[in-house]
């Protein structure tokens, strides 16, 4: 439960998309949850480079 809350707080209220713990948690989430987290982060930080786990497989500088 604590891990889920920490992940949710990262994707919805992050001050930066580069929080190390949040990135690690999001990258290890199942695909549908990870996708939602990346979409949410992209809506907030669309102008920033995507964090690990939200990068496009062809171009790491683009959101997937």
């Amino acid at each position: 439960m604590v891990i889920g809350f920490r992940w949710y707080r990262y994707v919805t209220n992050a001050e930066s998309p580069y929080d190390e713990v949040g990135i690690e948690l999001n990258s290890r989430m199942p695909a549908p949850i990870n996708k939602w987290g990346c979409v949410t982060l992209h809506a907030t930080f669309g102008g920033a480079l995507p964090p690990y786990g939200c990068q496009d497989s062809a171009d790491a500088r683009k959101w997937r």
Side-chain angles (χ1 to χ4, degrees):
M1 184 140 193
V2 173
I3 292 171
F5 174 76
R6 177 67 175 89
W7 168 81
Y8 184 78
R9 193 176 78 189
Y10 165 66
V11 298
T12 60
N13 297 315
E15 293 179 13
S16 166
Y18 309 117
D19 174 69
E20 292 177 13
V21 175
I23 290 170
E24 191 64 31
L25 290 174
N26 192 52
S27 68
R28 293 179 184 265
M29 288 292 168
I33 296 171
N34 173 271
K35 182 178 179 179
W36 182 84
C38 291
V39 168
T40 305
L41 286 168
H42 186 231
T44 306
F45 304 106
L49 292 172
Y52 175 75
C54 294
Q55 299 167 330
D56 183 62
S57 60
D59 185 355
R61 296 172 293 175
K62 293 182 181 178
W63 293 82
R64 56 179 161 106

